[in-house]
Amino acid sequence: MSALTPTIELGGQWPPMGIEPVNPFELPLLNTVILLSSGATITYGHHSLIQGKRSGALYGSIATVVLAIIFTGFQGVEYSVSSFTISDGAYGTCFYFGTGFHGLVMLIFNYNSTIQPYYALKPLKNLSGVCASNKRFYSTSRASSEKEEINNNQIINIIDKKFCPNWITGFADAESSFSLKVSKKNTAKSGWNVIPEFRIELHSREIILLRKIKDYFGIGIISERLDRNTIVYSVQSVTDILNVIIPHFDKYPLITQKRADYLLFKQAINLLDLKVQSTIEGIYKIIAIKASINIGLSDKLKNSFPNVYPVDRPLIKFEGFHPNWLTGFTDGEGCFYVNTKKANTSTGYQIIMTFSLSQHIRDEELLTKIKDYLGCGNIEKVSTRPTYATIVVYKYANIKDIIIPFFSKYPLQGVKSLDFQDFCKISNIMVTKEHLTAEGVKKIKSLKSGMNSSRIL
């Protein structure tokens, strides 16, 4: 305002008489470049932090701190060469107000946005029973002694441990899909476009886990669906699917009936690699495969291709599984639940710990094999979910002696690992018979209130 309407005290001009302005093309220009560069480095560090890349977050933070120190040093030089002091009236006041504290602000912003959260990514001690691989990856878990809270929200520390390929396959058996998207395209030779997709869609709270799966494969993109509060990992490139996705699932096979979808999907990928979609005959071959994958053809495609007959679905036979496959499958389809049921006891409650694992009825044979492998539980069906069957373990002795030791040896990777840790705490309360006291029941209720869908991250 002083520059726009200089007062009579300033001599009616700006800058005031006797004040020699700083040349904007000397130190001010250099400091501006440094300031903008620090914005680039802090952005790099912040994005590295979001993606779980500790080295990038560290280098970005260090570069920003160095630039902040250089900025502050040059600003001190700028003050020393100025022909005025802050006592020189409005010009000096505006100069120091407009340029001062930038270095300090840069340091504080860097600390809040990258350096402080960087330590939330600090690896915890490795857990046992994790299958080795050739690359180093991170997954999610949290030790009870190292829980942290930021703004009263729980966060998940990323643990420096390696994904087992069998875990990836087990999780894919539970949560992935293989599909072919067929749509009209006037510019295509055949008039149709085909997009293959390997896809995993999860609740948005599993963002860290999904990023680690993406890092494992090294391809694909992650997007967010705000309308459903979900995140999606998607691979649509024929080349990437052919060179990465198919080799993985050929070496570490799916074992649910989803394997039939995969084998048909693989056939379609081989056809797409040969560019058969450029002819109408090739499109018919792909449509015949699509008709046998997942839920088949849409009504629109049925009307467009009325004479297409679905190819035969491959028969899938159970051939056993790796323990880490079961952990991955549980991360997708399992549940650790505690029921505080009112009863005629000294505390007024009965504590029932339950482990369950659900799957479509078409994989009931697989569920039977899993039950036999664990050596406990029953297979149940309910009228409200007629197409699903569930392995349920109620007996506390089996929970304590079989379920908890198994998942302690072969750790869960996602947010469900937090439910399992609380599940273990409740089990410890029951081992010490503390659940037979009012205080023990109170502790159990408190832990239960933050598990599964009630967990706030």
Side-chain angles (χ1 to χ4, degrees), residues 355-388:
F355 167 71
S356 65
L357 188 62
S358 297
Q359 185 61 3
H360 194 277
I361 195 69
R362 66 184 181 180
D363 276 307
E364 185 175 358
E365 179 186 359
L366 173 61
L367 291 181
T368 301
K369 297 295 184 181
I370 294 174
K371 180 180 76 70
D372 293 343
Y373 174 84
L374 293 173
C376 62
N378 301 304
I379 295 182
E380 297 182 354
K381 301 172 188 175
V382 294
S383 58
T384 54
R385 300 185 73 192
T387 60
Y388 276 79

PDB file of all heavy atoms in Angstrom, residues 355-388:
ATOM      1  N   PHE A 355     -12.544 -67.425  14.397  1.00  0.00           N
ATOM      2  CA  PHE A 355     -11.813 -67.220  13.147  1.00  0.00           C
ATOM      3  C   PHE A 355     -12.666 -67.805  12.034  1.00  0.00           C
ATOM      4  O   PHE A 355     -13.175 -68.928  12.139  1.00  0.00           O
ATOM      5  CB  PHE A 355     -10.456 -67.921  13.164  1.00  0.00           C
ATOM      6  CG  PHE A 355      -9.817 -68.008  11.799  1.00  0.00           C
ATOM      7  CD1 PHE A 355      -9.321 -66.874  11.177  1.00  0.00           C
ATOM      8  CD2 PHE A 355      -9.741 -69.222  11.130  1.00  0.00           C
ATOM      9  CE1 PHE A 355      -8.743 -66.957   9.918  1.00  0.00           C
ATOM     10  CE2 PHE A 355      -9.164 -69.319   9.877  1.00  0.00           C
ATOM     11  CZ  PHE A 355      -8.662 -68.166   9.262  1.00  0.00           C
ATOM     12  N   SER A 356     -12.833 -67.049  10.945  1.00  0.00           N
ATOM     13  CA  SER A 356     -13.639 -67.542   9.826  1.00  0.00           C
ATOM     14  C   SER A 356     -12.960 -67.231   8.502  1.00  0.00           C
ATOM     15  O   SER A 356     -12.177 -66.282   8.392  1.00  0.00           O
ATOM     16  CB  SER A 356     -15.047 -66.935   9.853  1.00  0.00           C
ATOM     17  OG  SER A 356     -14.993 -65.533   9.646  1.00  0.00           O
ATOM     18  N   LEU A 357     -13.289 -68.047   7.512  1.00  0.00           N
ATOM     19  CA  LEU A 357     -12.730 -67.893   6.168  1.00  0.00           C
ATOM     20  C   LEU A 357     -13.805 -68.280   5.167  1.00  0.00           C
ATOM     21  O   LEU A 357     -14.247 -69.432   5.133  1.00  0.00           O
ATOM     22  CB  LEU A 357     -11.502 -68.796   6.019  1.00  0.00           C
ATOM     23  CG  LEU A 357     -10.657 -68.650   4.753  1.00  0.00           C
ATOM     24  CD1 LEU A 357     -10.073 -67.246   4.660  1.00  0.00           C
ATOM     25  CD2 LEU A 357      -9.524 -69.677   4.766  1.00  0.00           C
ATOM     26  N   SER A 358     -14.258 -67.316   4.362  1.00  0.00           N
ATOM     27  CA  SER A 358     -15.379 -67.536   3.452  1.00  0.00           C
ATOM     28  C   SER A 358     -14.924 -67.617   2.001  1.00  0.00           C
ATOM     29  O   SER A 358     -13.914 -67.038   1.617  1.00  0.00           O
ATOM     30  CB  SER A 358     -16.408 -66.406   3.592  1.00  0.00           C
ATOM     31  OG  SER A 358     -16.953 -66.379   4.890  1.00  0.00           O
ATOM     32  N   GLN A 359     -15.730 -68.346   1.197  1.00  0.00           N
ATOM     33  CA  GLN A 359     -15.452 -68.453  -0.221  1.00  0.00           C
ATOM     34  C   GLN A 359     -16.717 -68.896  -0.938  1.00  0.00           C
ATOM     35  O   GLN A 359     -17.644 -69.450  -0.318  1.00  0.00           O
ATOM     36  CB  GLN A 359     -14.312 -69.449  -0.471  1.00  0.00           C
ATOM     37  CG  GLN A 359     -13.836 -69.564  -1.900  1.00  0.00           C
ATOM     38  CD  GLN A 359     -13.281 -68.252  -2.469  1.00  0.00           C
ATOM     39  OE1 GLN A 359     -13.192 -67.247  -1.794  1.00  0.00           O
ATOM     40  NE2 GLN A 359     -12.929 -68.260  -3.730  1.00  0.00           N
ATOM     41  N   HIS A 360     -16.763 -68.645  -2.233  1.00  0.00           N
ATOM     42  CA  HIS A 360     -17.918 -69.056  -3.032  1.00  0.00           C
ATOM     43  C   HIS A 360     -18.103 -70.564  -2.929  1.00  0.00           C
ATOM     44  O   HIS A 360     -17.150 -71.325  -2.791  1.00  0.00           O
ATOM     45  CB  HIS A 360     -17.720 -68.643  -4.488  1.00  0.00           C
ATOM     46  CG  HIS A 360     -18.965 -68.712  -5.310  1.00  0.00           C
ATOM     47  ND1 HIS A 360     -19.397 -69.889  -5.883  1.00  0.00           N
ATOM     48  CD2 HIS A 360     -19.862 -67.755  -5.667  1.00  0.00           C
ATOM     49  CE1 HIS A 360     -20.518 -69.665  -6.547  1.00  0.00           C
ATOM     50  NE2 HIS A 360     -20.824 -68.369  -6.436  1.00  0.00           N
ATOM     51  N   ILE A 361     -19.361 -70.975  -3.004  1.00  0.00           N
ATOM     52  CA  ILE A 361     -19.706 -72.383  -2.828  1.00  0.00           C
ATOM     53  C   ILE A 361     -18.998 -73.288  -3.840  1.00  0.00           C
ATOM     54  O   ILE A 361     -18.763 -74.478  -3.575  1.00  0.00           O
ATOM     55  CB  ILE A 361     -21.247 -72.564  -2.930  1.00  0.00           C
ATOM     56  CG1 ILE A 361     -21.671 -73.921  -2.384  1.00  0.00           C
ATOM     57  CG2 ILE A 361     -21.711 -72.356  -4.353  1.00  0.00           C
ATOM     58  CD1 ILE A 361     -21.509 -74.057  -0.906  1.00  0.00           C
ATOM     59  N   ARG A 362     -18.608 -72.720  -4.988  1.00  0.00           N
ATOM     60  CA  ARG A 362     -17.926 -73.533  -5.992  1.00  0.00           C
ATOM     61  C   ARG A 362     -16.566 -74.017  -5.508  1.00  0.00           C
ATOM     62  O   ARG A 362     -16.000 -74.958  -6.058  1.00  0.00           O
ATOM     63  CB  ARG A 362     -17.771 -72.745  -7.296  1.00  0.00           C
ATOM     64  CG  ARG A 362     -16.854 -71.541  -7.195  1.00  0.00           C
ATOM     65  CD  ARG A 362     -16.813 -70.751  -8.481  1.00  0.00           C
ATOM     66  NE  ARG A 362     -15.898 -69.608  -8.387  1.00  0.00           N
ATOM     67  CZ  ARG A 362     -15.680 -68.754  -9.375  1.00  0.00           C
ATOM     68  NH1 ARG A 362     -16.314 -68.898 -10.532  1.00  0.00           N
ATOM     69  NH2 ARG A 362     -14.838 -67.746  -9.228  1.00  0.00           N
ATOM     70  N   ASP A 363     -16.024 -73.369  -4.455  1.00  0.00           N
ATOM     71  CA  ASP A 363     -14.738 -73.781  -3.890  1.00  0.00           C
ATOM     72  C   ASP A 363     -14.907 -74.460  -2.533  1.00  0.00           C
ATOM     73  O   ASP A 363     -13.996 -74.431  -1.706  1.00  0.00           O
ATOM     74  CB  ASP A 363     -13.812 -72.571  -3.750  1.00  0.00           C
ATOM     75  CG  ASP A 363     -13.081 -72.254  -5.050  1.00  0.00           C
ATOM     76  OD1 ASP A 363     -12.445 -73.180  -5.598  1.00  0.00           O
ATOM     77  OD2 ASP A 363     -13.169 -71.104  -5.516  1.00  0.00           O
ATOM     78  N   GLU A 364     -16.052 -75.106  -2.350  1.00  0.00           N
ATOM     79  CA  GLU A 364     -16.285 -75.784  -1.074  1.00  0.00           C
ATOM     80  C   GLU A 364     -15.255 -76.896  -0.838  1.00  0.00           C
ATOM     81  O   GLU A 364     -14.821 -77.126   0.290  1.00  0.00           O
ATOM     82  CB  GLU A 364     -17.701 -76.361  -1.030  1.00  0.00           C
ATOM     83  CG  GLU A 364     -18.049 -76.979   0.319  1.00  0.00           C
ATOM     84  CD  GLU A 364     -19.500 -77.434   0.392  1.00  0.00           C
ATOM     85  OE1 GLU A 364     -20.239 -77.233  -0.604  1.00  0.00           O
ATOM     86  OE2 GLU A 364     -19.890 -77.981   1.443  1.00  0.00           O
ATOM     87  N   GLU A 365     -14.854 -77.576  -1.897  1.00  0.00           N
ATOM     88  CA  GLU A 365     -13.839 -78.625  -1.748  1.00  0.00           C
ATOM     89  C   GLU A 365     -12.533 -78.038  -1.219  1.00  0.00           C
ATOM     90  O   GLU A 365     -11.870 -78.634  -0.360  1.00  0.00           O
ATOM     91  CB  GLU A 365     -13.586 -79.327  -3.084  1.00  0.00           C
ATOM     92  CG  GLU A 365     -12.528 -80.420  -2.994  1.00  0.00           C
ATOM     93  CD  GLU A 365     -12.186 -81.020  -4.351  1.00  0.00           C
ATOM     94  OE1 GLU A 365     -12.774 -80.604  -5.359  1.00  0.00           O
ATOM     95  OE2 GLU A 365     -11.304 -81.902  -4.385  1.00  0.00           O
ATOM     96  N   LEU A 366     -12.168 -76.852  -1.722  1.00  0.00           N
ATOM     97  CA  LEU A 366     -10.953 -76.193  -1.241  1.00  0.00           C
ATOM     98  C   LEU A 366     -11.082 -75.848   0.239  1.00  0.00           C
ATOM     99  O   LEU A 366     -10.134 -76.029   1.016  1.00  0.00           O
ATOM    100  CB  LEU A 366     -10.686 -74.931  -2.060  1.00  0.00           C
ATOM    101  CG  LEU A 366      -9.543 -74.038  -1.564  1.00  0.00           C
ATOM    102  CD1 LEU A 366      -8.218 -74.780  -1.569  1.00  0.00           C
ATOM    103  CD2 LEU A 366      -9.454 -72.766  -2.420  1.00  0.00           C
ATOM    104  N   LEU A 367     -12.238 -75.336   0.646  1.00  0.00           N
ATOM    105  CA  LEU A 367     -12.447 -75.023   2.056  1.00  0.00           C
ATOM    106  C   LEU A 367     -12.298 -76.267   2.920  1.00  0.00           C
ATOM    107  O   LEU A 367     -11.744 -76.209   4.033  1.00  0.00           O
ATOM    108  CB  LEU A 367     -13.827 -74.390   2.254  1.00  0.00           C
ATOM    109  CG  LEU A 367     -14.035 -72.992   1.675  1.00  0.00           C
ATOM    110  CD1 LEU A 367     -15.456 -72.506   1.972  1.00  0.00           C
ATOM    111  CD2 LEU A 367     -13.014 -71.999   2.230  1.00  0.00           C
ATOM    112  N   THR A 368     -12.788 -77.383   2.425  1.00  0.00           N
ATOM    113  CA  THR A 368     -12.643 -78.647   3.160  1.00  0.00           C
ATOM    114  C   THR A 368     -11.168 -79.005   3.323  1.00  0.00           C
ATOM    115  O   THR A 368     -10.730 -79.445   4.399  1.00  0.00           O
ATOM    116  CB  THR A 368     -13.378 -79.786   2.439  1.00  0.00           C
ATOM    117  OG1 THR A 368     -14.766 -79.444   2.323  1.00  0.00           O
ATOM    118  CG2 THR A 368     -13.234 -81.099   3.199  1.00  0.00           C
ATOM    119  N   LYS A 369     -10.371 -78.798   2.270  1.00  0.00           N
ATOM    120  CA  LYS A 369      -8.935 -79.074   2.330  1.00  0.00           C
ATOM    121  C   LYS A 369      -8.238 -78.137   3.316  1.00  0.00           C
ATOM    122  O   LYS A 369      -7.336 -78.551   4.049  1.00  0.00           O
ATOM    123  CB  LYS A 369      -8.316 -78.927   0.939  1.00  0.00           C
ATOM    124  CG  LYS A 369      -8.858 -79.913  -0.097  1.00  0.00           C
ATOM    125  CD  LYS A 369      -8.496 -81.344   0.252  1.00  0.00           C
ATOM    126  CE  LYS A 369      -8.970 -82.292  -0.842  1.00  0.00           C
ATOM    127  NZ  LYS A 369      -8.662 -83.707  -0.534  1.00  0.00           N
ATOM    128  N   ILE A 370      -8.662 -76.890   3.353  1.00  0.00           N
ATOM    129  CA  ILE A 370      -8.078 -75.933   4.302  1.00  0.00           C
ATOM    130  C   ILE A 370      -8.416 -76.337   5.729  1.00  0.00           C
ATOM    131  O   ILE A 370      -7.573 -76.303   6.631  1.00  0.00           O
ATOM    132  CB  ILE A 370      -8.571 -74.507   4.007  1.00  0.00           C
ATOM    133  CG1 ILE A 370      -8.044 -74.037   2.647  1.00  0.00           C
ATOM    134  CG2 ILE A 370      -8.139 -73.544   5.105  1.00  0.00           C
ATOM    135  CD1 ILE A 370      -8.584 -72.699   2.202  1.00  0.00           C
ATOM    136  N   LYS A 371      -9.664 -76.725   5.949  1.00  0.00           N
ATOM    137  CA  LYS A 371     -10.088 -77.184   7.281  1.00  0.00           C
ATOM    138  C   LYS A 371      -9.260 -78.397   7.715  1.00  0.00           C
ATOM    139  O   LYS A 371      -8.799 -78.467   8.857  1.00  0.00           O
ATOM    140  CB  LYS A 371     -11.584 -77.537   7.263  1.00  0.00           C
ATOM    141  CG  LYS A 371     -12.120 -78.021   8.607  1.00  0.00           C
ATOM    142  CD  LYS A 371     -13.591 -78.345   8.520  1.00  0.00           C
ATOM    143  CE  LYS A 371     -13.817 -79.675   7.819  1.00  0.00           C
ATOM    144  NZ  LYS A 371     -13.365 -80.824   8.654  1.00  0.00           N
ATOM    145  N   ASP A 372      -9.051 -79.314   6.793  1.00  0.00           N
ATOM    146  CA  ASP A 372      -8.252 -80.500   7.121  1.00  0.00           C
ATOM    147  C   ASP A 372      -6.798 -80.111   7.390  1.00  0.00           C
ATOM    148  O   ASP A 372      -6.145 -80.693   8.269  1.00  0.00           O
ATOM    149  CB  ASP A 372      -8.317 -81.503   5.972  1.00  0.00           C
ATOM    150  CG  ASP A 372      -9.713 -82.095   5.797  1.00  0.00           C
ATOM    151  OD1 ASP A 372     -10.520 -81.981   6.740  1.00  0.00           O
ATOM    152  OD2 ASP A 372      -9.997 -82.651   4.712  1.00  0.00           O
ATOM    153  N   TYR A 373      -6.297 -79.156   6.646  1.00  0.00           N
ATOM    154  CA  TYR A 373      -4.919 -78.706   6.838  1.00  0.00           C
ATOM    155  C   TYR A 373      -4.740 -78.098   8.228  1.00  0.00           C
ATOM    156  O   TYR A 373      -3.761 -78.376   8.926  1.00  0.00           O
ATOM    157  CB  TYR A 373      -4.560 -77.696   5.755  1.00  0.00           C
ATOM    158  CG  TYR A 373      -3.203 -77.054   5.926  1.00  0.00           C
ATOM    159  CD1 TYR A 373      -2.054 -77.682   5.476  1.00  0.00           C
ATOM    160  CD2 TYR A 373      -3.078 -75.800   6.530  1.00  0.00           C
ATOM    161  CE1 TYR A 373      -0.799 -77.098   5.633  1.00  0.00           C
ATOM    162  CE2 TYR A 373      -1.842 -75.205   6.693  1.00  0.00           C
ATOM    163  CZ  TYR A 373      -0.705 -75.848   6.243  1.00  0.00           C
ATOM    164  OH  TYR A 373       0.526 -75.265   6.413  1.00  0.00           O
ATOM    165  N   LEU A 374      -5.692 -77.251   8.619  1.00  0.00           N
ATOM    166  CA  LEU A 374      -5.611 -76.619   9.937  1.00  0.00           C
ATOM    167  C   LEU A 374      -5.922 -77.606  11.053  1.00  0.00           C
ATOM    168  O   LEU A 374      -5.436 -77.465  12.177  1.00  0.00           O
ATOM    169  CB  LEU A 374      -6.586 -75.436  10.013  1.00  0.00           C
ATOM    170  CG  LEU A 374      -6.268 -74.232   9.113  1.00  0.00           C
ATOM    171  CD1 LEU A 374      -7.413 -73.221   9.163  1.00  0.00           C
ATOM    172  CD2 LEU A 374      -4.956 -73.579   9.526  1.00  0.00           C
ATOM    173  N   GLY A 375      -6.730 -78.607  10.732  1.00  0.00           N
ATOM    174  CA  GLY A 375      -7.094 -79.608  11.736  1.00  0.00           C
ATOM    175  C   GLY A 375      -8.119 -79.112  12.729  1.00  0.00           C
ATOM    176  O   GLY A 375      -8.192 -79.613  13.862  1.00  0.00           O
ATOM    177  N   CYS A 376      -8.926 -78.150  12.336  1.00  0.00           N
ATOM    178  CA  CYS A 376      -9.964 -77.644  13.240  1.00  0.00           C
ATOM    179  C   CYS A 376     -11.012 -76.892  12.435  1.00  0.00           C
ATOM    180  O   CYS A 376     -10.820 -76.572  11.266  1.00  0.00           O
ATOM    181  CB  CYS A 376      -9.365 -76.722  14.305  1.00  0.00           C
ATOM    182  SG  CYS A 376      -8.565 -75.246  13.646  1.00  0.00           S
ATOM    183  N   GLY A 377     -12.146 -76.605  13.092  1.00  0.00           N
ATOM    184  CA  GLY A 377     -13.202 -75.811  12.483  1.00  0.00           C
ATOM    185  C   GLY A 377     -14.290 -76.622  11.827  1.00  0.00           C
ATOM    186  O   GLY A 377     -14.200 -77.852  11.695  1.00  0.00           O
ATOM    187  N   ASN A 378     -15.344 -75.935  11.421  1.00  0.00           N
ATOM    188  CA  ASN A 378     -16.476 -76.536  10.712  1.00  0.00           C
ATOM    189  C   ASN A 378     -16.798 -75.691   9.488  1.00  0.00           C
ATOM    190  O   ASN A 378     -16.488 -74.495   9.437  1.00  0.00           O
ATOM    191  CB  ASN A 378     -17.714 -76.592  11.619  1.00  0.00           C
ATOM    192  CG  ASN A 378     -17.464 -77.394  12.883  1.00  0.00           C
ATOM    193  OD1 ASN A 378     -17.078 -78.563  12.827  1.00  0.00           O
ATOM    194  ND2 ASN A 378     -17.662 -76.753  14.033  1.00  0.00           N
ATOM    195  N   ILE A 379     -17.413 -76.311   8.514  1.00  0.00           N
ATOM    196  CA  ILE A 379     -17.868 -75.572   7.329  1.00  0.00           C
ATOM    197  C   ILE A 379     -19.353 -75.294   7.484  1.00  0.00           C
ATOM    198  O   ILE A 379     -20.147 -76.221   7.673  1.00  0.00           O
ATOM    199  CB  ILE A 379     -17.590 -76.356   6.037  1.00  0.00           C
ATOM    200  CG1 ILE A 379     -16.076 -76.491   5.840  1.00  0.00           C
ATOM    201  CG2 ILE A 379     -18.217 -75.652   4.839  1.00  0.00           C
ATOM    202  CD1 ILE A 379     -15.677 -77.206   4.579  1.00  0.00           C
ATOM    203  N   GLU A 380     -19.710 -74.022   7.429  1.00  0.00           N
ATOM    204  CA  GLU A 380     -21.094 -73.622   7.642  1.00  0.00           C
ATOM    205  C   GLU A 380     -21.630 -72.881   6.421  1.00  0.00           C
ATOM    206  O   GLU A 380     -20.883 -72.236   5.686  1.00  0.00           O
ATOM    207  CB  GLU A 380     -21.199 -72.713   8.874  1.00  0.00           C
ATOM    208  CG  GLU A 380     -20.787 -73.385  10.180  1.00  0.00           C
ATOM    209  CD  GLU A 380     -20.949 -72.452  11.366  1.00  0.00           C
ATOM    210  OE1 GLU A 380     -21.279 -71.251  11.154  1.00  0.00           O
ATOM    211  OE2 GLU A 380     -20.757 -72.910  12.509  1.00  0.00           O
ATOM    212  N   LYS A 381     -22.956 -72.968   6.257  1.00  0.00           N
ATOM    213  CA  LYS A 381     -23.660 -72.224   5.207  1.00  0.00           C
ATOM    214  C   LYS A 381     -24.862 -71.558   5.870  1.00  0.00           C
ATOM    215  O   LYS A 381     -25.497 -72.156   6.747  1.00  0.00           O
ATOM    216  CB  LYS A 381     -24.119 -73.152   4.089  1.00  0.00           C
ATOM    217  CG  LYS A 381     -22.976 -73.914   3.411  1.00  0.00           C
ATOM    218  CD  LYS A 381     -23.509 -74.955   2.441  1.00  0.00           C
ATOM    219  CE  LYS A 381     -22.400 -75.836   1.912  1.00  0.00           C
ATOM    220  NZ  LYS A 381     -22.893 -76.926   1.058  1.00  0.00           N
ATOM    221  N   VAL A 382     -25.138 -70.345   5.432  1.00  0.00           N
ATOM    222  CA  VAL A 382     -26.277 -69.628   6.004  1.00  0.00           C
ATOM    223  C   VAL A 382     -27.232 -69.226   4.888  1.00  0.00           C
ATOM    224  O   VAL A 382     -26.817 -68.987   3.748  1.00  0.00           O
ATOM    225  CB  VAL A 382     -25.818 -68.378   6.793  1.00  0.00           C
ATOM    226  CG1 VAL A 382     -25.017 -68.787   8.015  1.00  0.00           C
ATOM    227  CG2 VAL A 382     -24.999 -67.457   5.912  1.00  0.00           C
ATOM    228  N   SER A 383     -28.486 -69.140   5.229  1.00  0.00           N
ATOM    229  CA  SER A 383     -29.517 -68.849   4.216  1.00  0.00           C
ATOM    230  C   SER A 383     -29.380 -67.446   3.641  1.00  0.00           C
ATOM    231  O   SER A 383     -29.799 -67.178   2.514  1.00  0.00           O
ATOM    232  CB  SER A 383     -30.909 -69.011   4.837  1.00  0.00           C
ATOM    233  OG  SER A 383     -31.056 -68.152   5.967  1.00  0.00           O
ATOM    234  N   THR A 384     -28.782 -66.536   4.414  1.00  0.00           N
ATOM    235  CA  THR A 384     -28.637 -65.162   3.930  1.00  0.00           C
ATOM    236  C   THR A 384     -27.549 -65.045   2.859  1.00  0.00           C
ATOM    237  O   THR A 384     -27.515 -64.071   2.112  1.00  0.00           O
ATOM    238  CB  THR A 384     -28.298 -64.218   5.094  1.00  0.00           C
ATOM    239  OG1 THR A 384     -27.141 -64.718   5.786  1.00  0.00           O
ATOM    240  CG2 THR A 384     -29.471 -64.121   6.061  1.00  0.00           C
ATOM    241  N   ARG A 385     -26.662 -66.052   2.786  1.00  0.00           N
ATOM    242  CA  ARG A 385     -25.611 -66.058   1.756  1.00  0.00           C
ATOM    243  C   ARG A 385     -25.558 -67.454   1.137  1.00  0.00           C
ATOM    244  O   ARG A 385     -24.633 -68.228   1.379  1.00  0.00           O
ATOM    245  CB  ARG A 385     -24.255 -65.675   2.343  1.00  0.00           C
ATOM    246  CG  ARG A 385     -24.202 -64.297   2.964  1.00  0.00           C
ATOM    247  CD  ARG A 385     -22.787 -63.966   3.407  1.00  0.00           C
ATOM    248  NE  ARG A 385     -21.907 -63.680   2.270  1.00  0.00           N
ATOM    249  CZ  ARG A 385     -20.577 -63.589   2.369  1.00  0.00           C
ATOM    250  NH1 ARG A 385     -19.986 -63.804   3.527  1.00  0.00           N
ATOM    251  NH2 ARG A 385     -19.845 -63.325   1.295  1.00  0.00           N
ATOM    252  N   PRO A 386     -26.542 -67.783   0.359  1.00  0.00           N
ATOM    253  CA  PRO A 386     -26.665 -69.160  -0.141  1.00  0.00           C
ATOM    254  C   PRO A 386     -25.544 -69.595  -1.071  1.00  0.00           C
ATOM    255  O   PRO A 386     -25.325 -70.788  -1.263  1.00  0.00           O
ATOM    256  CB  PRO A 386     -28.015 -69.150  -0.872  1.00  0.00           C
ATOM    257  CG  PRO A 386     -28.229 -67.714  -1.239  1.00  0.00           C
ATOM    258  CD  PRO A 386     -27.639 -66.920  -0.133  1.00  0.00           C
ATOM    259  N   THR A 387     -24.829 -68.635  -1.673  1.00  0.00           N
ATOM    260  CA  THR A 387     -23.764 -68.999  -2.615  1.00  0.00           C
ATOM    261  C   THR A 387     -22.395 -69.067  -1.951  1.00  0.00           C
ATOM    262  O   THR A 387     -21.382 -69.243  -2.642  1.00  0.00           O
ATOM    263  CB  THR A 387     -23.711 -67.998  -3.774  1.00  0.00           C
ATOM    264  OG1 THR A 387     -23.453 -66.684  -3.255  1.00  0.00           O
ATOM    265  CG2 THR A 387     -25.027 -67.995  -4.551  1.00  0.00           C
ATOM    266  N   TYR A 388     -22.356 -68.937  -0.633  1.00  0.00           N
ATOM    267  CA  TYR A 388     -21.076 -68.936   0.066  1.00  0.00           C
ATOM    268  C   TYR A 388     -21.028 -70.018   1.142  1.00  0.00           C
ATOM    269  O   TYR A 388     -22.043 -70.388   1.727  1.00  0.00           O
ATOM    270  CB  TYR A 388     -20.808 -67.571   0.722  1.00  0.00           C
ATOM    271  CG  TYR A 388     -20.211 -66.573  -0.243  1.00  0.00           C
ATOM    272  CD1 TYR A 388     -21.017 -65.906  -1.160  1.00  0.00           C
ATOM    273  CD2 TYR A 388     -18.846 -66.320  -0.254  1.00  0.00           C
ATOM    274  CE1 TYR A 388     -20.478 -65.003  -2.057  1.00  0.00           C
ATOM    275  CE2 TYR A 388     -18.290 -65.416  -1.156  1.00  0.00           C
ATOM    276  CZ  TYR A 388     -19.113 -64.766  -2.049  1.00  0.00           C
ATOM    277  OH  TYR A 388     -18.573 -63.873  -2.942  1.00  0.00           O
TER     278      TYR A 388
END
